[in-house]
Amino acid sequence: MTSLDLKLFRDLWRIKGQAVAIALVIATGVLLQIMMSGLVASLTETRRAYYERNNLADVFAPTVRAPDAVLDRMAAIPGVARLSGRVVGRALIDVPGEPVPIQSLAIGLPDTGPQVLNSVYLTRGRLPEERHRDEALLLSGFASAHGYGIGDRINVTMNGLRRSIRIVGLAQSPEFLFVAAPGEMVPDPARYGAIWMRHSALAAAYDMEGAFNEVLLSLSRHASREAVIAAVDEVLAPWGGTGAYGRRELVSDRFVSEEIDGLATMSRAVPPLFIAIAAFLLYIVVNRIVQAEREEIGLLKAFGYTNREVGTHYFKLVLLIAGAGALMGCLFGVLAGRAMIPIYTTFYNFPFLVFRPDPAAFAIGVLASIAAASAGSVFVLKRIFALTPFEAMRPPTPADYSKTVTFRGTVGRLLDQPTRIVFRGLARSPWRSLALSAGIAGGMALASGMTTIYGSFDRMMDLSFTVIDRSDATVFFHTPLGEKAAFELGRIPGVITVEPFREVAATLKHGRRTHRGSVSGMIDKPELTRAIDDKLSAIPLPTQGLVLGQALAEILDVEPGEVLSVEVREGRQPTLAVPVTRVARSLIGAPAYMRLPALNDVMSEPGRISGAHIRVDGARADAIYRRLKDMPTVAGVSVSENARESLQKLMDQGAGSARYIMGAVAFIITFGIVYNAARIAQNERSRDLASLRVMGFTKGETAFVLLGELTIIILVALPVGSLVGYALSFAIARGFSSELYQIPAYYDPFSHGFSAAFILVAAAISGLLVERDLNRMDLVTVLKSRD
């Protein structure tokens, strides 16, 4: 080990506190890079493998009822590689102890031979036998949530008739990665199930003998998806086809894709911010060391060390700190990624999911950390190369402070000597003070921005379930019924208010942008479920035209006054040109509202409703839900309290849990910045502070001079950081928002106050550590140094 290497380790030991703080900041940035990139790679690769192994269809084509002979015509469509017709139907599962009927989907399996497309993945048990029409597979997540096992029997209502079926196997499917009940946007395996039975058994239950109501298609490599979809729609049009759609519009795949895309965006945007902050801190520290060691640099050069050797010595210091931080980030990034896997297997039903770090992420994280740290060091090394031995061994030319702030007259008499020293120190090094203040303001912005997002999630919940949707439950019918059905609901004892609605499946188009969703028909003056504006006031629905949710307006890139093409996928399936009149504030989903009479008019089905929002007497709620369970026209009931609990669970443990990680990271960064600011100020003023002690200043007065400067720097940084944090909260909220939920950003005084308090606590802790070192300072040794 050379003499310079020994000096290197002594320097590291001397600045160990700052080195550790900077390394942790770098480690945090690399940790996020490794974790997020690894999750993106793992989810993407697992989804691809799962889809391929289980032959997930490329195109789904639902219809009302088509004879099996139509399959031959679709098989002849250019670009179709394989296809399979099946029977699917809504079902209700009667779970003992649950007053609300659990919605589910019954899916047909081929009577003989393997599944051609959308193969199930058996987790336990076996496939149903054709001769036993009461045998079925049950979705494993639903079975686990309710404690069902092999051999258990469940009561299921299919097509209005109740029957008992026996569970012979538990399964998962690539089309059920995201499991949510119809009409809801929140995944909850306990509140939505899937049942697989043999084709003949389901065909008999849903009056589909010799027919099917959904086609699955796999496309050849060079096929045009749009051309195949158009051809399939043409073939199925006489049989009530409701519009074929690609895999990208499958609800399950769409939400998984949004999660992957969100992680990918964060992995590209967030880690560089932390690495840049660490590089800034490292530059300040190394610059301080070089300034303090001018004489040593001169001696090294005088003894024959070249510029390259001396520069490499200080460059090694940077590399060691940056490299140590990067290596810690790699290790903890893998551990954090593995810790996140159970969350994704809970909310996205992958049969297997192993965290596999992206090798490129390691290289990018390590190289980016070292490159960012080295970039700032280049400017420091230029100063080393410029120093000649003669110049370096001389003390630096004293700065001219004659034109800085002076305190005379009344102000001078009111301020004591330590206070005047504090203000003069700030005035004599304005750029250093501004740089430290900017760093602390950046930490304040990160902390306040992330803390605001915590409150924004809660605000989103309150607005969604107390302002926008004020119902206790939503009742869905199997098919649109007459308005008399709403009066029947109102006659149930304990039902206080009934608000009917109509939900019509449609594809909305604006230019080249499309969205497969639905149009919600609402009564003229809804009270339970409303469209609201930015001021939380109800938006009156126009006689004609659409009111779009904010998320949907952004998806379609449409503004009020523009016209949408609405392709209805029910009944006569008309194509409408409807103007957009308003954009509503939507926080869950991407709704499109229209007046109920106007929607029924364009459908040529006056007086029809597909469900109702209801308010009930809490004391009679269970009895009401049991009554609804026994009504054959009811396809399902969604209880608002259950939906709220599921959404809260998703935000706390699912995709929204990333905000906790980001918040912890923000506070780590903030503490690192404040601690380094205190240490840098101590190192730069050590000789001055020792001189003050020799001149008779007490330890308390000396500490006041140092910590007084830090206090002013922090107080200046707090309002600036708060303003930047307010702007940053909008960007963070936009990054967390998706089609599933939108996070509202706003100014939260508590969040900014809490972040400011945290910075003050961090400053107090840093000040205590610095004061302890000041009290231990060897005055003779410090004064001997020629700083």
Side-chain angles (χ1 to χ4, degrees), residues 291-313:
Q291 289 179 358
E293 297 186 351
R294 285 171 54 93
E295 181 178 356
E296 294 181 25
I297 293 172
L299 285 172
L300 290 172
K301 289 187 175 184
F303 284 141
Y305 286 97
T306 64
N307 282 335
R308 180 179 179 181
E309 291 172 326
V310 177
T312 301
H313 163 72

Side-chain angles (χ1 to χ4, degrees), residues 17 54 135 156 229 339 446 509 719 745:
N54 295 78
E135 292 185 350
V156 181
I229 288 176
L446 282 173
K509 296 184 177 180

Side-chain angles (χ1 to χ4, degrees), residues 219-231:
L219 307 183
S220 56
R221 177 172 297 180
H222 301 292
S224 169
R225 180 180 283 102
E226 290 73 19
V228 171
I229 288 176

Side-chain angles (χ1 to χ4, degrees), residues 13 146 169 241 297 481 491 511 571 640 668 744 752:
W13 180 253
H146 293 284
I297 293 172
L481 303 177
R491 293 173 60 185
S640 297
I668 291 173
H752 291 260

Side-chain angles (χ1 to χ4, degrees), residues 18-197:
Q18 293 170 265
V20 169
I22 295 171
L24 287 177
V25 174
I26 293 176
T28 302
V30 177
L31 179 152
L32 292 174
Q33 175 76 34
I34 300 299
M35 182 189 73
M36 293 178 181
S37 299
L39 287 173
V40 169
S42 300
L43 290 171
T44 302
E45 179 58 26
T46 301
R47 180 182 61 172
R48 183 200 62 78
Y50 191 26
Y51 284 0
E52 288 183 358
R53 293 178 188 178
N54 295 78
N55 302 314
L56 182 65
D58 295 311
V59 174
F60 298 76
T63 186
V64 176
R65 190 180 192 278
D68 290 339
V70 177
L71 292 173
D72 294 334
R73 291 178 56 192
M74 285 188 286
I77 295 174
V80 175
R82 292 177 295 174
L83 83 166
S84 174
R86 68 180 185 179
V87 174
V88 297
R90 285 188 173 187
L92 292 177
I93 300 177
D94 185 2
V95 178
E98 290 284 344
V100 180
I102 306 297
Q103 300 184 67
S104 66
L105 188 68
I107 306 167
L109 299 171
D111 287 333
T112 58
Q115 290 178 271
V116 177
L117 296 171
N118 289 23
S119 302
V120 296
Y121 179 88
L122 275 176
T123 58
R124 286 185 59 196
R126 60 174 175 82
L127 291 172
E129 294 182 1
E130 181 184 2
R131 65 179 184 275
H132 295 147
R133 293 196 170 190
D134 64 338
E135 292 185 350
L137 301 178
L138 187 63
L139 188 65
S140 58
F142 180 86
S144 176
H146 293 284
Y148 287 122
I150 305 299
D152 291 343
R153 282 193 170 271
I154 58 175
N155 294 320
V156 181
T157 301
M158 297 180 179
N159 201 23
L161 298 176
R162 180 170 294 185
R163 58 186 299 181
S164 175
I165 60 175
R166 186 163 64 93
I167 303 170
V168 297
L170 304 180
Q172 292 179 325
S173 170
E175 59 182 313
F176 290 106
L177 290 179
F178 179 93
V179 180
E184 299 184 12
M185 303 292 288
V186 181
D188 188 348
R191 295 174 49 235
Y192 188 68
I195 302 168
W196 289 268
M197 300 178 68

Side-chain angles (χ1 to χ4, degrees), residues 613-747:
H613 306 289
I614 61 174
R615 284 185 60 202
V616 301
D617 181 354
R620 299 184 178 183
D622 288 349
I624 294 170
Y625 298 147
R626 282 193 291 268
R627 174 84 173 267
L628 293 173
K629 182 191 292 188
D630 295 331
M631 297 176 67
T633 57
V634 173
V637 179
S638 173
V639 179
S640 297
E641 183 179 356
N642 294 339
R644 180 169 187 159
E645 290 176 355
S646 298
L647 183 58
Q648 186 69 59
K649 186 177 180 181
L650 173 67
M651 293 189 301
D652 290 343
Q653 302 178 16
S657 63
R659 74 189 195 273
Y660 295 115
I661 298 175
M662 298 296 297
V665 165
F667 284 105
I668 291 173
I669 292 279
T670 302
F671 184 83
I673 292 173
V674 174
Y675 177 77
N676 271 280
R679 284 298 184 188
I680 290 167
Q682 177 196 2
N683 291 336
E684 290 186 342
R685 302 296 301 277
S686 59
R687 183 177 173 82
D688 294 341
L689 296 173
S691 299
L692 291 177
R693 289 286 307 282
V694 171
M695 289 190 301
F697 281 69
T698 65
K699 291 181 179 180
E701 290 173 330
T702 305
F704 176 81
V705 170
L706 176 62
L707 301 182
E709 288 188 20
L710 180 62
T711 301
I712 294 175
I713 289 173
I714 290 175
L715 293 178
V716 171
L718 291 182
V720 176
S722 180
L723 289 174
V724 177
Y726 173 66
L728 185 62
S729 64
F730 284 87
I732 297 173
R734 190 173 184 86
F736 275 114
S737 298
S738 65
E739 188 178 334
L740 175 60
Y741 50 75
Q742 294 79 49
I743 306 303
Y746 66 105
Y747 181 77

Side-chain angles (χ1 to χ4, degrees), residues 245 460 490 514-515 527 575 612 621 712 764 782:
Y245 57 92
M460 183 267 285
T514 63
H515 176 76
E527 292 294 333
T575 298
I712 294 175
V782 173

Side-chain angles (χ1 to χ4, degrees), residues 579-594:
V580 176
T581 59
R582 294 283 296 273
V583 173
R585 187 174 187 178
S586 62
L587 300 177
I588 298 180
Y593 306 108
M594 195 172 181

